[in-house]
């Protein structure tokens, strides 16, 4: 997967770009191995400028059966920056509560997608109970990161 990601990053022609992107997107969409799908997310994360990549990462963030793959996709989408659509996606995934780590990744995406609203959004969710306060700790880390 990392080799395909490297080839995608270095692709010079549209044909090569399309070929490598398609191979990675097939792995992300169709592979039965969660580790392979996570590796595909990592390989695609650096090429959010390539047509179709953000949409497939958003699909992985919302539909992949593996929590770690969802988390990786949410974190990769942060690089897009400010986006009302991504803030909505992050909010929905946080509320879905797929896993604590996915919720924290969704909070990180929300902070990147809607920086002006991130503080209030995260603060309002700090009181949601979780084992050992893991969600609160993650949200506090998001808030701390937003201060810089």
């Amino acid at each position: 997967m990392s080799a395909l990601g490297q080839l995608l990053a270095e692709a010079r022609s549209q044909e090569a770009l399309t070929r490598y992107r398609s191979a990675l997107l097939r792995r992300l969409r169709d592979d039965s191995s969660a580790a392979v799908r996570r590796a595909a997310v990592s390989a695609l994360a650096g090429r959010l400028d390539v047509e179709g990549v953000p949409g497939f990462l958003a699909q992985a963030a919302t539909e992949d059966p593996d929590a770690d793959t969802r988390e990786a996709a949410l974190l990769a989408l942060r690089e897009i920056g400010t986006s009302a659509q991504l803030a909505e996606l992050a909010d929905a995934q946080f509320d879905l509560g797929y896993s604590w780590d996915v919720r924290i990744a969704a909070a990180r995406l929300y902070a990147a997608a809607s920086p002006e609203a991130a503080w209030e959004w995260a603060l309002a969710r700090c009181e949601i109970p979780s084992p050992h306060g893991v969600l609160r700790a993650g949200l506090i880390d998001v808030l701390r990161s937003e201060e810089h």
Side-chain angles (χ1 to χ4, degrees), residues 37-84:
R37 294 192 310 276
R38 280 191 306 276
V41 166
S42 294
L44 290 165
R47 288 308 306 258
L48 293 169
D49 59 319
V50 175
E51 181 182 348
V53 170
F56 276 97
L57 289 176
Q59 184 176 3
T62 59
E63 298 176 10
D64 198 279
D66 177 63
D68 291 337
T69 303
R70 285 182 181 225
E71 177 186 2
L74 287 165
L75 294 174
L77 288 167
R78 291 180 307 170
E79 296 304 315
I80 292 174
T82 303
S83 163

Side-chain angles (χ1 to χ4, degrees), residues 108-119:
R108 291 188 187 289
L109 175 57
Y110 190 93
S114 186
E116 70 287 344
W119 181 266

